[in-house]
Amino acid sequence: MWNQPYGKTGDLESGAARPLYPMMLESPELRWAFIRKIYSILSLQLLLTIVIASIVVFVHPVSHFFVSTSPGFALYIVIIVTPLIVLCPLSYYYQKHPVNFILLGIFTVAIAMAIGLTCAFTEGKIILEAAILTAVVVVSLTMYTFWAAKRGYDFNFLGPFLFGSIMVLMVFSIIQIFFPLGRISLMIYGGLASIVFCGYIVYDTDNLIKRYSYDEYIWASVSLYLDIVNLFLSLLTLFRAADS
């Protein structure tokens, strides 16, 4: 009896009942439902981001307002700090519906506006290249992580290394603000940041499969969303520096 496969019937039709990784103790059906919920929320976030960013890019009076007027610049500062501010109440209300989704929507809209303003002053071919490469990398790394988890690989060890890498990137970007190092340094920064956020996609996807509890769907969505957005922005920085 101990050799029977995990699942309701044990046949090929119960594929969703198979464990996602060896020694899985929880119900695979519940974990798959949780994963589908996360990717549904993430898809809506990305769709909203694309729509808002496209409006900012293609409706020129919007971007012109932000770069040529004092109220626009002040609003831009508000947009930049809004995601950081929203994360505070979100950490408290992440289980309270519908407040958690309202805060998540504000968070997503603010980041989408910031992305749109970044893309508004970037060539279309560079945006397209970064978007295509981001999509390919995200899909590939997601599929790889599910495949690796199925075979017993664990990526939890990446946490300290990725955190240290983020600290290095943050200090590097601050130095770049006060002491610009030129096009080569931007290319290096964009390349390193892209690698770091590729690691975060694998790390957070692995956590999605194994570690996030069912009531942490907001945090799981935020983590993956930020990974994808930051990967896109890093590639955008790299391509823009290489094209200049």
Side-chain angles (χ1 to χ4, degrees):
M1 62 179 289
W2 302 109
N3 294 325
Q4 292 180 356
Y6 195 104
K8 293 182 178 179
T9 60
D11 57 14
L12 295 177
E13 295 181 356
S14 61
R18 297 174 185 174
L20 281 80
Y21 54 91
M23 306 299 293
M24 185 178 185
L25 300 179
E26 62 181 314
S27 168
E29 293 93 341
L30 292 178
R31 179 55 64 171
W32 273 117
F34 174 72
I35 291 172
R36 287 193 294 269
K37 182 176 183 178
I38 297 305
Y39 282 114
S40 297
I41 297 173
L42 181 62
S43 299
L44 292 175
Q45 286 182 277
L46 294 175
L47 180 61
L48 181 61
T49 301
I50 293 171
V51 171
I52 294 176
S54 298
I55 293 173
V56 175
V57 170
F58 293 110
V59 182
H60 297 293
V62 176
S63 58
H64 180 74
F65 168 76
F66 281 98
V67 299
S68 61
T69 65
S70 298
F73 180 75
L75 182 58
Y76 176 72
I77 299 299
V78 172
I79 290 173
I80 293 298
V81 301
T82 294
L84 298 176
I85 297 174
V86 170
L87 285 177
C88 296
L90 190 60
S91 64
Y92 184 78
Y93 292 107
Y94 71 95
Q95 292 180 310
K96 188 175 181 60
H97 182 82
V99 178
N100 53 359
F101 281 106
I102 294 173
L103 293 173
L104 182 64
I106 296 172
F107 176 83
T108 304
V109 168
I111 290 183
M113 289 289 295
I115 293 174
L117 290 171
T118 301
C119 293
F121 305 98
T122 306
E123 289 187 29
K125 69 172 185 177
I126 296 177
I127 298 173
L128 184 61
E129 290 171 354
I132 292 175
L133 187 54
T134 299
V136 171
V137 169
V138 170
V139 172
S140 300
L141 289 178
T142 300
M143 294 175 63
Y144 167 76
T145 308
F146 275 87
W147 175 87
K150 184 77 172 179
R151 282 151 183 79
Y153 294 97
D154 188 87
F155 299 100
N156 194 43
F157 71 93
L158 290 175
F161 298 101
L162 293 173
F163 178 78
S165 300
I166 285 292
M167 293 296 102
V168 172
L169 290 176
M170 289 178 60
V171 174
F172 188 90
S173 61
I174 293 173
I175 294 174
Q176 181 71 17
I177 292 173
F178 294 101
F179 307 101
L181 302 177
R183 182 173 65 90
I184 300 299
S185 66
L186 283 177
M187 292 178 62
I188 295 173
Y189 174 84
L192 292 177
S194 301
I195 295 173
V196 170
F197 289 112
C198 284
Y200 264 110
I201 290 173
V202 173
Y203 176 75
D204 288 327
T205 303
D206 192 62
N207 286 337
L208 173 65
I209 297 172
K210 302 174 184 176
R211 296 177 186 86
Y212 278 116
S213 62
Y214 299 136
D215 58 357
E216 291 181 320
Y217 54 90
I218 293 294
W219 284 126
S221 303
V222 167
S223 297
L224 288 171
Y225 175 74
L226 287 177
D227 295 341
I228 296 171
V229 165
N230 282 305
L231 175 60
F232 170 75
L233 293 176
S234 300
L235 291 172
L236 201 67
T237 300
L238 175 61
F239 292 154
R240 191 162 51 186
D243 191 66
S244 61

